[in-house]
Amino acid sequence: MAQISRRQFLRGNFSGSYAVPRPPWALAEAAFASACTRCGDCIIACPQHILVLDREARPTVDFGRGECTFCGKCAEACQPRALEKREGAPPWQLRAQIQNNCLAKSNVVCRACGDACTVQAIRFRPAVMAAAQPEVDDALCTGCGACYAPCPAQAIRIG
């Protein structure tokens, strides 16, 4: 069994695979950590104010503050090129995931996540004698996080 850090254990990250969401167009984690000078220019440039500092003083996305509009201002402001916008390339591989504490899974009608999703990546499958169940279409989901904050059960994970 692989060793995990205390932080990973306390976060419930037993596989060690969960990474903090970096701003869009971030380099791979090791390259990002090496290139990022912790200047904070991307945080200042973000019009949505969703970028915050992590424990290592590097930028991460806080979807509790709002959604990413993929405007690219963070990448434009990044002088060390830790964020590198490439035309035609997706900003990241993040997608919304609905957890088991979703209200609909407890037969409570709730469509907050679907209502917030502008690309209609979250749809609700009718269920017999039960609340319609949410499903994320990974092909449509951009991982923008619009569904995260409106969820009253905090059942959305962007990862």
Side-chain angles (χ1 to χ4, degrees):
M1 182 171 174
Q3 293 275 335
I4 62 171
S5 71
R6 182 172 183 263
R7 181 180 294 164
Q8 289 171 322
F9 177 77
L10 293 173
R11 288 184 177 167
N13 180 14
F14 302 108
S15 68
S17 62
Y18 182 73
V20 295
R22 296 295 180 202
W25 301 288
L27 300 176
E29 186 62 26
F32 176 82
S34 177
C36 179
T37 61
R38 302 174 177 150
C39 66
D41 288 348
C42 59
I43 293 172
I44 295 166
C46 179
Q48 300 303 112
H49 307 291
I50 62 170
L51 299 182
V52 297
L53 295 177
D54 66 8
R55 290 188 175 144
E56 286 80 38
R58 291 190 180 96
T60 185
V61 180
D62 180 356
F63 291 110
R65 295 171 160 241
E67 67 185 281
C68 182
T69 61
F70 307 112
C71 67
K73 297 211 183 293
C74 58
E76 291 170 12
C78 183
Q79 293 303 311
R81 311 305 312 152
L83 307 177
E84 191 171 22
K85 188 173 181 180
R86 296 168 301 280
E87 292 304 319
W92 53 33
Q93 298 301 315
L94 300 177
R95 298 293 179 260
Q97 300 166 359
I98 300 171
Q99 306 300 297
N100 288 332
N101 61 322
C102 172
L103 294 176
K105 294 183 181 197
S106 296
N107 206 23
V108 176
V109 176
C110 177
R111 292 178 180 246
C113 59
D115 291 343
C117 183
T118 59
V119 296
Q120 298 179 340
I122 301 176
R123 300 196 179 158
F124 290 83
R125 178 176 295 230
V128 177
M129 302 293 289
Q133 298 299 299
E135 294 178 347
V136 177
D137 183 340
D138 287 339
L140 291 175
C141 182
T142 62
C144 71
C147 57
Y148 182 87
C151 179
Q154 298 178 333
I156 304 287
R157 179 173 170 252
I158 308 295

